């Protein structure tokens, strides 16, 4: 005869947090990878789109910050804080990449070009 709270093996039923089976571990890995790919779009946006559409990039970062605060509604302040910190770190790294790597390359592309100036002509004072 089985008592309530026990399985047929005789072991008590326990629901422990942090214990994952193979399927749960695979789902956890895919969620983590998806979150990283989602957050990695922030530096990519700063690198490739900030020069052309700065308002749109900042709007995306601001919406990610608001999305990071969404777990506060369910009472998970640790998750909300860590997600918000991750968004800020990725935004800072994107700004650094833009100003350190992309802006010097863009300055060559968008810099001044002189037409009708020849090396044999004297310089104007």
């Amino acid at each position: 005869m089985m008592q309530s709270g026990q399985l047929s093996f005789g072991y008590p039923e326990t629901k422990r947090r942090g214990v994952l089976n193979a399927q749960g571990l695979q789902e956890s890995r895919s969620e983590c990878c998806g979150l990283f790919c989602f957050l990695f779009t922030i530096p990519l946006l700063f690198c490739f789109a900030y020069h052309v559409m700065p308002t749109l990039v900042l709007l995306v970062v601001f919406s990610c910050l608001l999305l990071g605060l969404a777990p506060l509604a369910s009472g998970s302040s640790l998750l909300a804080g860590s997600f918000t910190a991750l968004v800020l770190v990725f935004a800072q790294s994107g700004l650094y990449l833009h100003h350190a790597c992309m802006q010097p390359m863009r300055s060559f592309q968008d810099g001044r070009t002189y037409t009708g100036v020849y090396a044999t002509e004297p310089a104007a004072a």
Side-chain angles (χ1 to χ4, degrees):
M1 171 182 245
M2 274 189 1
Q3 296 176 356
S4 128
Q6 289 187 347
L7 296 174
S8 61
F9 308 117
Y11 298 112
E13 245 183 274
T14 58
K15 293 183 180 179
R16 294 180 291 173
R17 294 176 75 185
V19 177
L20 297 173
N21 56 9
Q23 182 181 4
L25 187 60
Q26 183 66 27
E27 290 173 2
S28 175
R29 286 180 185 165
S30 64
E31 289 173 2
C32 184
C33 183
L35 178 66
F36 179 75
C37 290
F38 173 71
L39 287 174
F40 195 68
T41 59
I42 294 173
L44 291 178
L45 280 174
F46 272 107
C47 282
F48 299 113
Y50 187 69
H51 183 72
V52 180
M53 300 174 284
T55 307
L56 179 68
V57 173
L58 293 177
L59 185 66
V60 167
V61 171
F62 184 71
S63 64
C64 287
L65 278 173
L66 290 179
L67 186 67
L69 294 175
L72 282 176
S74 65
S76 178
S77 61
L78 182 64
L79 180 63
S82 61
F83 191 77
T84 304
L86 280 173
V87 168
L88 290 175
V89 165
F90 275 83
Q92 181 185 10
S93 66
L95 272 173
Y96 174 75
L97 286 173
H98 173 73
H99 287 288
C101 302
M102 301 304 287
Q103 195 171 15
M105 287 194 308
R106 299 273 186 188
S107 68
F108 287 128
Q109 182 182 7
D110 298 338
R112 293 183 180 174
T113 56
Y114 300 101
T115 58
V117 179
Y118 301 104
T120 58
E121 294 180 3

